[in-house]
Amino acid sequence: MDDDHMPDQRPLREDFQATLDARRDLGPDYEEALVDSFTERLDATIAARVRAELDRDTAPPHKKSTPGAPMIPVALGSMAMGIPLTAIASANAGLVGLIITWLAIVVINVAAAAAVMRRG
């Protein structure tokens, strides 16, 4: 990636160059201390990037509606349609018509609930 996408990369490169320059100026006696210092800076940079990435990935999701919310219109529609259908079915077909009407309403509600759970 280029420097535009990783703004922290430039200071890290400068730290590394400074470490190399210091090693050249101070000699091999200070090499271990210089490497340790640079490694600490590198570890801190990596940890900060990982934290930033985790924070970005675990941001709270948009609030979802209640699990049963999509079923509310279906249930209310079933009740609204069930009242007149009950009157019509029982007046024209008696108990058999009433049972068939409410079985159809139950089947429609179960199918709608299954579709909502599949989308879920």
Side-chain angles (χ1 to χ4, degrees), residues 35-110:
V35 168
D36 288 345
S37 174
F38 179 75
T39 303
E40 287 176 15
R41 167 78 168 112
L42 182 62
D43 286 344
T45 301
I46 291 170
R49 287 181 183 174
V50 167
R51 272 192 307 275
E53 194 67 24
L54 287 174
D55 288 345
R56 184 181 62 82
D57 288 345
T58 59
H62 292 48
K63 185 178 178 185
K64 282 189 160 185
S65 60
T66 2
M71 286 303 300
I72 292 173
V74 175
L76 292 175
S78 294
M79 295 305 293
M81 293 303 294
I83 293 168
L85 288 176
T86 298
I88 294 168
S90 61
N92 292 330
L95 184 59
V96 174
L98 184 63
I99 292 172
I100 291 173
T101 300
W102 279 100
L103 281 176
I105 291 171
V106 168
V107 167
I108 290 169
N109 279 276
V110 168

